[in-house]
Amino acid sequence: MRKLKITELNRLSADEYKASAKTPIVVVLDHIRSLNNIGSVFRTADAFRMEAVYLCGITATPPHAEIHKTALGAEDTVEWHYFKQTLSAVTGLKQNGYVVCAVEQVEGSISLERFVPEKGKKYAVVIGHEVKGVQQEVVDLCDMCIEIPQSGTKHSLNVSVAAGIVLWAFFEKTTLEVDTVIRAESIP
């Protein structure tokens, strides 16, 4: 096997990315304190063509050198919005027809591997603070909570790792619908 060169990967330009069809998912960051985690989420959102990233509360916003360090420019391609209160972001998403899912360990949570997104629905995924998780008042407003199954001694994952796992799962489970649109765009 030979590693591919960057020029062989056929990546979209920033303008092509912005004009392309997106996976109908908004990522909501609820008081994320680590700039590296924020940058990593931007990079993951770019990789899976998420619709947008909502930055809430103490979550820093671009432009910022520490965000850029892990985002590697994805903060310039992925649409983002800042909200002082996460509740405002979630309320607006719900009013616009999004199913809002917190990634949190709660009574009655749905294990990620059993979650199946409904075709034709738009989703928002709320990722919480590195220590405190998603605020209870935000959990209360969500339509459901999704939990990543774990079998080790720890009860949590790093924010950017958790976001990557969940966003990949959503992307993979919705990819047939979105992939059809993406393939249609790439036909000359």
mmCIF file of all heavy atoms in Angstrom, residues 29 31 41 43 52-53 56 69-70 74-75 95 99 103 109 113 119 127 139 141 150 157 183 186-187:
data_model
loop_
_atom_site.group_PDB
_atom_site.id
_atom_site.type_symbol
_atom_site.label_atom_id
_atom_site.label_comp_id
_atom_site.label_asym_id
_atom_site.label_seq_id
_atom_site.Cartn_x
_atom_site.Cartn_y
_atom_site.Cartn_z
ATOM 1 N N LEU A 29 -22.156 23.241 21.398
ATOM 2 C CA LEU A 29 -21.147 23.113 22.445
ATOM 3 C C LEU A 29 -21.590 23.937 23.650
ATOM 4 O O LEU A 29 -21.649 25.159 23.592
ATOM 5 C CB LEU A 29 -19.774 23.564 21.934
ATOM 6 C CG LEU A 29 -19.224 22.763 20.757
ATOM 7 C CD1 LEU A 29 -17.832 23.261 20.372
ATOM 8 C CD2 LEU A 29 -19.207 21.273 21.051
ATOM 9 N N HIS A 31 -20.796 25.315 26.968
ATOM 10 C CA HIS A 31 -19.771 25.740 27.935
ATOM 11 C C HIS A 31 -18.495 24.897 27.874
ATOM 12 O O HIS A 31 -17.986 24.441 28.893
ATOM 13 C CB HIS A 31 -20.339 25.728 29.366
ATOM 14 C CG HIS A 31 -21.346 26.794 29.599
ATOM 15 N ND1 HIS A 31 -21.005 28.065 29.954
ATOM 16 C CD2 HIS A 31 -22.701 26.774 29.513
ATOM 17 C CE1 HIS A 31 -22.099 28.808 30.099
ATOM 18 N NE2 HIS A 31 -23.142 28.038 29.823
ATOM 19 N N VAL A 41 -13.674 19.784 17.453
ATOM 20 C CA VAL A 41 -15.073 19.634 17.030
ATOM 21 C C VAL A 41 -15.284 20.302 15.677
ATOM 22 O O VAL A 41 -15.970 19.755 14.810
ATOM 23 C CB VAL A 41 -16.042 20.172 18.107
ATOM 24 C CG1 VAL A 41 -17.462 20.254 17.562
ATOM 25 C CG2 VAL A 41 -15.984 19.296 19.351
ATOM 26 N N ARG A 43 -13.099 20.593 13.325
ATOM 27 C CA ARG A 43 -12.462 19.727 12.333
ATOM 28 C C ARG A 43 -13.322 18.499 12.040
ATOM 29 O O ARG A 43 -13.474 18.085 10.889
ATOM 30 C CB ARG A 43 -11.089 19.311 12.838
ATOM 31 C CG ARG A 43 -10.204 18.740 11.780
ATOM 32 C CD ARG A 43 -8.786 18.823 12.257
ATOM 33 N NE ARG A 43 -7.932 17.872 11.599
ATOM 34 C CZ ARG A 43 -6.710 17.594 11.995
ATOM 35 N NH1 ARG A 43 -6.215 18.197 13.060
ATOM 36 N NH2 ARG A 43 -5.979 16.736 11.353
ATOM 37 N N ALA A 52 -23.731 23.057 11.017
ATOM 38 C CA ALA A 52 -23.186 24.205 11.747
ATOM 39 C C ALA A 52 -22.728 23.766 13.129
ATOM 40 O O ALA A 52 -23.083 22.684 13.604
ATOM 41 C CB ALA A 52 -24.255 25.298 11.895
ATOM 42 N N VAL A 53 -21.955 24.638 13.756
ATOM 43 C CA VAL A 53 -21.554 24.472 15.150
ATOM 44 C C VAL A 53 -22.055 25.696 15.910
ATOM 45 O O VAL A 53 -21.821 26.830 15.481
ATOM 46 C CB VAL A 53 -20.016 24.345 15.297
ATOM 47 C CG1 VAL A 53 -19.609 24.306 16.756
ATOM 48 C CG2 VAL A 53 -19.492 23.112 14.573
ATOM 49 N N CYS A 56 -21.683 28.057 22.762
ATOM 50 C CA CYS A 56 -22.551 28.622 23.791
ATOM 51 C C CYS A 56 -21.810 28.882 25.099
ATOM 52 O O CYS A 56 -20.932 28.111 25.499
ATOM 53 C CB CYS A 56 -23.723 27.680 24.066
ATOM 54 S SG CYS A 56 -24.678 27.268 22.591
ATOM 55 N N LYS A 69 -5.263 25.832 15.981
ATOM 56 C CA LYS A 69 -4.234 24.797 16.116
ATOM 57 C C LYS A 69 -4.793 23.398 15.867
ATOM 58 O O LYS A 69 -4.144 22.552 15.272
ATOM 59 C CB LYS A 69 -3.607 24.862 17.510
ATOM 60 C CG LYS A 69 -2.389 23.970 17.677
ATOM 61 C CD LYS A 69 -1.882 23.949 19.106
ATOM 62 C CE LYS A 69 -1.393 25.293 19.568
ATOM 63 N NZ LYS A 69 -0.806 25.259 20.914
ATOM 64 N N THR A 70 -6.014 23.129 16.337
ATOM 65 C CA THR A 70 -6.613 21.810 16.116
ATOM 66 C C THR A 70 -7.651 21.822 14.993
ATOM 67 O O THR A 70 -7.883 20.794 14.362
ATOM 68 C CB THR A 70 -7.255 21.256 17.410
ATOM 69 O OG1 THR A 70 -8.093 22.252 17.965
ATOM 70 C CG2 THR A 70 -6.201 20.831 18.406
ATOM 71 N N ALA A 74 -10.817 24.575 9.673
ATOM 72 C CA ALA A 74 -12.227 24.182 9.632
ATOM 73 C C ALA A 74 -13.117 25.245 10.265
ATOM 74 O O ALA A 74 -14.300 25.332 9.938
ATOM 75 C CB ALA A 74 -12.432 22.840 10.331
ATOM 76 N N GLU A 75 -12.550 26.069 11.132
ATOM 77 C CA GLU A 75 -13.331 27.149 11.729
ATOM 78 C C GLU A 75 -13.717 28.194 10.684
ATOM 79 O O GLU A 75 -14.600 29.024 10.916
ATOM 80 C CB GLU A 75 -12.577 27.782 12.905
ATOM 81 C CG GLU A 75 -11.397 28.657 12.531
ATOM 82 C CD GLU A 75 -10.083 27.935 12.252
ATOM 83 O OE1 GLU A 75 -10.090 26.738 11.867
ATOM 84 O OE2 GLU A 75 -9.029 28.580 12.401
ATOM 85 N N GLN A 95 -37.625 25.221 17.782
ATOM 86 C CA GLN A 95 -38.627 25.990 17.047
ATOM 87 C C GLN A 95 -38.472 25.834 15.541
ATOM 88 O O GLN A 95 -39.427 25.986 14.790
ATOM 89 C CB GLN A 95 -38.556 27.476 17.435
ATOM 90 C CG GLN A 95 -39.047 27.750 18.831
ATOM 91 C CD GLN A 95 -38.783 29.173 19.290
ATOM 92 O OE1 GLN A 95 -38.016 29.921 18.689
ATOM 93 N NE2 GLN A 95 -39.416 29.550 20.401
ATOM 94 N N VAL A 99 -34.655 17.898 16.133
ATOM 95 C CA VAL A 99 -34.727 16.985 17.262
ATOM 96 C C VAL A 99 -33.420 17.201 18.018
ATOM 97 O O VAL A 99 -32.339 17.038 17.443
ATOM 98 C CB VAL A 99 -34.849 15.518 16.800
ATOM 99 C CG1 VAL A 99 -34.837 14.578 17.993
ATOM 100 C CG2 VAL A 99 -36.092 15.331 15.951
ATOM 101 N N VAL A 103 -25.717 14.550 24.557
ATOM 102 C CA VAL A 103 -24.843 13.403 24.786
ATOM 103 C C VAL A 103 -24.551 13.423 26.278
ATOM 104 O O VAL A 103 -23.771 14.234 26.766
ATOM 105 C CB VAL A 103 -23.547 13.504 23.951
ATOM 106 C CG1 VAL A 103 -22.627 12.327 24.252
ATOM 107 C CG2 VAL A 103 -23.872 13.583 22.468
ATOM 108 N N SER A 109 -31.562 7.194 29.041
ATOM 109 C CA SER A 109 -30.798 7.544 27.847
ATOM 110 C C SER A 109 -30.844 6.389 26.845
ATOM 111 O O SER A 109 -31.089 5.235 27.205
ATOM 112 C CB SER A 109 -29.350 7.872 28.209
ATOM 113 O OG SER A 109 -28.716 6.735 28.755
ATOM 114 N N GLU A 113 -25.439 2.899 19.990
ATOM 115 C CA GLU A 113 -25.531 1.869 18.950
ATOM 116 C C GLU A 113 -26.977 1.491 18.645
ATOM 117 O O GLU A 113 -27.271 0.943 17.588
ATOM 118 C CB GLU A 113 -24.690 0.622 19.317
ATOM 119 C CG GLU A 113 -25.330 -0.314 20.313
ATOM 120 C CD GLU A 113 -25.117 0.055 21.768
ATOM 121 O OE1 GLU A 113 -24.607 1.162 22.058
ATOM 122 O OE2 GLU A 113 -25.466 -0.767 22.629
ATOM 123 N N LYS A 119 -35.466 9.245 9.146
ATOM 124 C CA LYS A 119 -35.217 9.811 7.823
ATOM 125 C C LYS A 119 -35.994 11.116 7.655
ATOM 126 O O LYS A 119 -37.159 11.220 8.049
ATOM 127 C CB LYS A 119 -35.636 8.807 6.748
ATOM 128 C CG LYS A 119 -35.284 9.243 5.359
ATOM 129 C CD LYS A 119 -35.620 8.177 4.347
ATOM 130 C CE LYS A 119 -35.224 8.682 2.980
ATOM 131 N NZ LYS A 119 -35.293 7.645 1.977
ATOM 132 N N ILE A 127 -23.157 18.778 23.178
ATOM 133 C CA ILE A 127 -21.980 18.244 23.861
ATOM 134 C C ILE A 127 -21.687 19.180 25.035
ATOM 135 O O ILE A 127 -21.615 20.391 24.855
ATOM 136 C CB ILE A 127 -20.762 18.198 22.917
ATOM 137 C CG1 ILE A 127 -21.080 17.496 21.597
ATOM 138 C CG2 ILE A 127 -19.549 17.614 23.615
ATOM 139 C CD1 ILE A 127 -21.277 16.021 21.694
ATOM 140 N N VAL A 139 -30.554 19.648 29.446
ATOM 141 C CA VAL A 139 -31.031 18.258 29.350
ATOM 142 C C VAL A 139 -32.556 18.239 29.413
ATOM 143 O O VAL A 139 -33.214 17.547 28.639
ATOM 144 C CB VAL A 139 -30.417 17.378 30.466
ATOM 145 C CG1 VAL A 139 -31.122 16.033 30.550
ATOM 146 C CG2 VAL A 139 -28.921 17.184 30.235
ATOM 147 N N LEU A 141 -34.644 20.341 28.425
ATOM 148 C CA LEU A 141 -35.253 20.871 27.208
ATOM 149 C C LEU A 141 -35.053 19.943 25.995
ATOM 150 O O LEU A 141 -35.758 20.057 25.001
ATOM 151 C CB LEU A 141 -34.659 22.258 26.915
ATOM 152 C CG LEU A 141 -35.362 23.157 25.925
ATOM 153 C CD1 LEU A 141 -36.825 23.389 26.314
ATOM 154 C CD2 LEU A 141 -34.633 24.488 25.829
ATOM 155 N N GLN A 150 -19.755 2.351 27.411
ATOM 156 C CA GLN A 150 -18.367 2.241 27.858
ATOM 157 C C GLN A 150 -18.268 1.044 28.798
ATOM 158 O O GLN A 150 -19.190 0.778 29.552
ATOM 159 C CB GLN A 150 -17.947 3.516 28.588
ATOM 160 C CG GLN A 150 -18.028 4.763 27.718
ATOM 161 C CD GLN A 150 -17.898 6.036 28.521
ATOM 162 O OE1 GLN A 150 -16.928 6.219 29.234
ATOM 163 N NE2 GLN A 150 -18.879 6.907 28.406
ATOM 164 N N LEU A 157 -15.646 10.262 28.489
ATOM 165 C CA LEU A 157 -14.636 10.403 27.447
ATOM 166 C C LEU A 157 -14.290 11.876 27.297
ATOM 167 O O LEU A 157 -15.079 12.750 27.660
ATOM 168 C CB LEU A 157 -15.172 9.876 26.112
ATOM 169 C CG LEU A 157 -15.490 8.391 26.047
ATOM 170 C CD1 LEU A 157 -16.337 8.082 24.826
ATOM 171 C CD2 LEU A 157 -14.197 7.593 26.022
ATOM 172 N N ARG A 183 -23.027 12.717 -3.911
ATOM 173 C CA ARG A 183 -22.591 12.082 -5.172
ATOM 174 C C ARG A 183 -23.160 12.836 -6.364
ATOM 175 O O ARG A 183 -22.482 13.019 -7.352
ATOM 176 C CB ARG A 183 -23.042 10.635 -5.202
ATOM 177 C CG ARG A 183 -22.146 9.740 -4.421
ATOM 178 C CD ARG A 183 -22.425 8.301 -4.726
ATOM 179 N NE ARG A 183 -22.139 7.537 -3.535
ATOM 180 C CZ ARG A 183 -22.611 6.359 -3.290
ATOM 181 N NH1 ARG A 183 -23.413 5.771 -4.136
ATOM 182 N NH2 ARG A 183 -22.293 5.730 -2.191
ATOM 183 N N SER A 186 -21.134 15.788 -7.290
ATOM 184 C CA SER A 186 -19.794 15.539 -7.833
ATOM 185 C C SER A 186 -19.815 15.028 -9.268
ATOM 186 O O SER A 186 -18.773 14.875 -9.886
ATOM 187 C CB SER A 186 -19.036 14.572 -6.925
ATOM 188 O OG SER A 186 -19.704 13.336 -6.888
ATOM 189 N N ILE A 187 -20.990 14.790 -9.822
ATOM 190 C CA ILE A 187 -21.075 14.336 -11.213
ATOM 191 C C ILE A 187 -20.908 15.540 -12.125
ATOM 192 O O ILE A 187 -21.638 16.515 -12.015
ATOM 193 C CB ILE A 187 -22.423 13.633 -11.481
ATOM 194 C CG1 ILE A 187 -22.549 12.384 -10.619
ATOM 195 C CG2 ILE A 187 -22.581 13.308 -12.962
ATOM 196 C CD1 ILE A 187 -23.925 11.745 -10.644
#
